[in-house]
Structure formats: structure tokens, C-alpha cells
Amino acid sequence: MACRIACCSAAEKLVLAEEPPAPTATTAVRPPSVHSRRNQRAGTPTVSDQYGDSLEGPFTEYPNNPIVSNNWQPHYSVSHVASAHVMWNESAKEMWLYFHGENTTTRLARSKDGINFIYDKVVLSTSMLPSGTTETSYARVFPHELPSRGAHYVMVVMLNNTINHRDIHWGWSADGRTWSYDQQPLVRHSDVGAVNIGGPHLLYRDNSTYVVYNKDKATGSDLMITEVGNDFSKRAHLGVFYNSWNAAPENGRSASPTFGTDGGVAYRIYEAGERLAGSIAMARA
């Protein structure tokens, strides 16, 4: 039984990293089969599918890509769709695909087979967060119990505003469709000495919850880690989770990590190299 992953990159290729990765924890969701969701940057920006029997490939391009277009009538017509994040919803027995397009709006599509999706709804827009918000994008959703909020799911997402510094925000939901959002950042860029932070993902270890995210390249482009606790009330900034290598394929930049397990092995799949011109890289714990 392997986990299903979602990743979005400018690249067409998957690269297995040779350097030893930082220790990782496994995510809570391990649905069947292995598929890769990526943003097709060559030509029309859409979401495409690749599939394989192992996280290390080989992967086969789905012949009828894209699975999500930037023009899905009558629901929307936008310049691009990106940041595909797939979550197995056990109660619905469906794959739930969260994606953004434009950068102001995160949407949900649902599928019984992981290929044919039906449009559901907008789950996040700039209007749901503080005045002056200009971007709400690169969202990831995870099953997570918050009894005090009546929630079974949490979302972590990148937010930009008129001062043009990107932070990490978060929200919670009872059903994964209708959301409430904290109006204060979960992690501020200034907390870790960055100009921008983004690409958040949750990890679980030792009965606590952590968020891993990337810094901008100008301030190191490393992966950082902050402990937020199971109720998201803690803010323990633990520093560098992974120090980007100057050699290929990273060339000084690692971003947008996704974590999962396959055959008892923990993996980190992430964007390596310059934004919009990099590769999808993989590291094993």
C-alpha cells in the first residue's frame, strides 16, 4: 500500500536526490496508489497526472491530460491553475483536489477514481482574510482533529498582502468544504528572518504537530520547521529543517515540500532549483 502524493512544479522530470535528507515524519494519510499531480507550465497552465506503482517511479503520463483545466465552464475561466494538493477523504471515499487559480482563490474538485473530477466550490479567497490580502495560494489540507473548534481538517496556506511579504496562515473545517480562518499569521516571515515564506506542509511526530515551509532564495531558500502543537497554539521556531545544496538539482533552492511513506520508507518530494525552471526532486529518510 503506497501513499498518494500531490506536487506542483515548473518541471517535467522527477529527480532522486543523492544527498542524505533531513529526518522526516510521515503524514497521517496513506490512500492507495501513487499519482503525481503537477502544474503544466509549458503552454496552458493546467493540472496534469502521472502514475506509477512506487514513489520512486517510473511514472507514466496520463494520455488524456489535463485533469483540471484553467477553463472549467461554467465554474471559472482563469489565467492558470496550480498547486494541486490531493487528499484522500475516507468518509466520502473520494480524492479531494485543492488547487488555486487565480492566486486569489483556492478551489476544490472531487473524484471517485482520481482521474475524472467534478467541480465542488471555492474554499478560500482573499475576501476571507484580513483587508489588504492580495494572494491566498499554495494551500494544503490535512485530516486533523481540533475538538475545541469542532474541526476534522486543517489547512495551511501562503498569504501575501499590500506590503508584499508572504506569511503562512491557517484554517479549520468540520467537513473539508466550509472553512474558518485565523486572521493572524501562523508563521510570520519576520519570525524566521525571511522576506517571504511559503509552501507549507504539516508533519506529525512525538504527539505534536509541526509546519515545514520554505524561505525565499534571497534569505537562503532553506526548508524551515515550526512546532505549532496539536491545537495550533504553540509557536516554537526550530530553525532549518533542510539546508538547500548549491549543487544540482537544487542549485541553492528547495521549496514546497510534500511528505509521505511507501513501503515503510519516508519520502520528501519537493521543488528543486529556480522557481518555474526547476525539477521535482525526491529524498529518502
Side-chain angles (χ1 to χ4, degrees), residues 188-263:
R188 291 177 170 85
H189 66 281
S190 56
D191 292 337
V192 293
V195 175
N196 296 296
I197 55 177
H201 197 287
L202 293 187
L203 289 180
Y204 304 94
R205 176 171 286 175
D206 298 331
N207 195 34
S208 191
T209 303
Y210 303 78
V211 58
V212 178
Y213 49 94
N214 60 269
K215 296 171 69 174
D216 59 284
K217 191 167 184 181
T219 54
S221 197
D222 297 322
L223 301 183
M224 310 297 289
I225 184 168
T226 295
E227 185 178 6
V228 297
N230 293 334
D231 63 357
F232 280 65
S233 65
K234 191 173 184 177
R235 302 292 184 270
H237 304 297
L238 303 179
V240 175
F241 178 83
Y242 177 76
N243 190 347
S244 298
W245 283 42
N246 291 324
E250 294 170 7
N251 298 317
R253 180 177 180 271
S254 300
S256 300
T258 297
F259 300 87
T261 59
D262 186 12

Side-chain angles (χ1 to χ4, degrees), residues 121-221:
K121 62 181 295 188
V122 170
V123 296
L124 172 62
S125 69
T126 53
S127 65
M128 301 175 186
L129 285 162
S131 176
T133 298
T134 58
E135 298 176 39
T136 50
S137 52
Y138 302 98
R140 269 113 177 236
V141 174
F142 304 87
H144 188 95
E145 295 299 316
L146 288 173
S148 64
R149 300 180 187 268
H152 304 294
Y153 301 92
V154 295
M155 176 191 294
V156 285
V157 61
M158 185 193 77
L159 179 147
N160 194 15
N161 54 35
T162 53
I163 66 172
N164 204 30
H165 288 289
R166 292 167 176 85
D167 298 323
I168 305 301
H169 278 246
W170 77 290
W172 56 93
S173 172
D175 61 5
R177 299 180 67 247
T178 301
W179 291 82
S180 299
Y181 295 99
D182 194 336
Q183 300 300 294
Q184 298 298 317
L186 182 65
V187 184
R188 291 177 170 85
H189 66 281
S190 56
D191 292 337
V192 293
V195 175
N196 296 296
I197 55 177
H201 197 287
L202 293 187
L203 289 180
Y204 304 94
R205 176 171 286 175
D206 298 331
N207 195 34
S208 191
T209 303
Y210 303 78
V211 58
V212 178
Y213 49 94
N214 60 269
K215 296 171 69 174
D216 59 284
K217 191 167 184 181
T219 54
S221 197

Side-chain angles (χ1 to χ4, degrees), residues 93-110:
K93 303 298 182 184
E94 293 177 339
M95 305 303 297
W96 285 25
L97 170 60
Y98 298 86
F99 62 100
H100 75 248
E102 308 287 352
N103 288 345
T104 59
T105 307
T106 296
R107 307 174 188 273
L108 171 62
R110 299 163 61 174

